[in-house]
Amino acid sequence: MITTKTKPGPSVSLCLKRHYKASPERVFAAWTTPELLARWMAPRDDFAPTVAEVDLRPGGRYRFAMSAPNGDRPAVSGTFVEIVPGEKLVFTWAWAHMPDCVSLVTVTLAPKDDGTELTLHHERFADDEAKSKHAEGWSGCLGRLARVVEI
């Protein structure tokens, strides 16, 4: 599910929800453990994650990089704003090639049925095009995440 919200000014956001047959703790670990992140943090299977660094503390930094099929090496980094183990991560998000375009990602995890409901809220996009590209990328990443946590 993708929803769009427009706030006053140029901010556009998206919200994605997914259900995983895994505990919130396992899903949280996949977001915060570099070895696990390197297995899923890429939009498609033909992108190869190359860097996954995490300093998991409020104010700590993270960095993800990948190798694209065309030879590009996109990278994103940011700072953790809020961390509630097994429940919530809030972090800034900025692509290396656009460091002044900082957005905010909130991931919440809730026990539901036989697993976890993940809600990803990504806000502060400059426009609908940026939102659309991120929605596509996040959809791919979240699909790959299932392969890591649902084993």
Side-chain angles (χ1 to χ4, degrees):
M1 170 193 329
I2 300 174
T3 59
T4 303
K5 267 202 282 192
T6 303
K7 296 181 181 180
S11 185
V12 176
S13 66
L14 68 88
C15 184
L16 301 170
K17 290 184 183 266
R18 297 290 187 275
H19 183 269
Y20 297 102
K21 292 181 180 177
S23 70
E25 293 77 18
R26 183 165 178 78
V27 178
F28 185 85
W31 280 87
T32 59
T33 305
E35 297 80 18
L36 295 175
L37 273 168
R39 293 176 49 199
W40 68 270
M41 185 53 87
R44 299 190 321 245
D45 287 338
D46 59 350
F47 279 68
T50 58
V51 174
E53 300 169 347
V54 175
D55 179 9
L56 189 63
R57 61 184 174 82
R61 305 266 312 151
Y62 73 87
R63 182 171 175 259
F64 311 126
M66 62 198 88
S67 177
N70 66 1
D72 286 349
R73 299 202 177 274
V76 66
S77 63
T79 303
F80 290 103
V81 176
E82 183 180 358
I83 301 165
V84 181
E87 295 179 22
K88 186 176 187 180
L89 279 174
V90 181
F91 50 93
T92 61
W93 179 274
W95 289 100
H97 67 283
M98 300 181 340
D100 294 332
C101 294
V102 180
S103 54
L104 187 70
V105 178
T106 302
V107 176
T108 55
L109 307 171
K112 185 157 184 177
D113 300 328
D114 59 344
T116 299
E117 181 175 86
L118 177 147
T119 302
L120 183 143
H121 186 242
H122 195 155
E123 60 186 307
R124 301 182 187 164
F125 292 116
D127 55 37
D128 284 329
E129 180 183 2
K131 179 205 67 140
S132 179
K133 287 179 180 179
H134 281 83
E136 182 180 340
W138 278 123
S139 291
C141 288
L142 296 177
R144 291 169 53 98
L145 174 60
R147 292 186 249 163
V148 172
V149 300
E150 294 181 344
I151 51 176

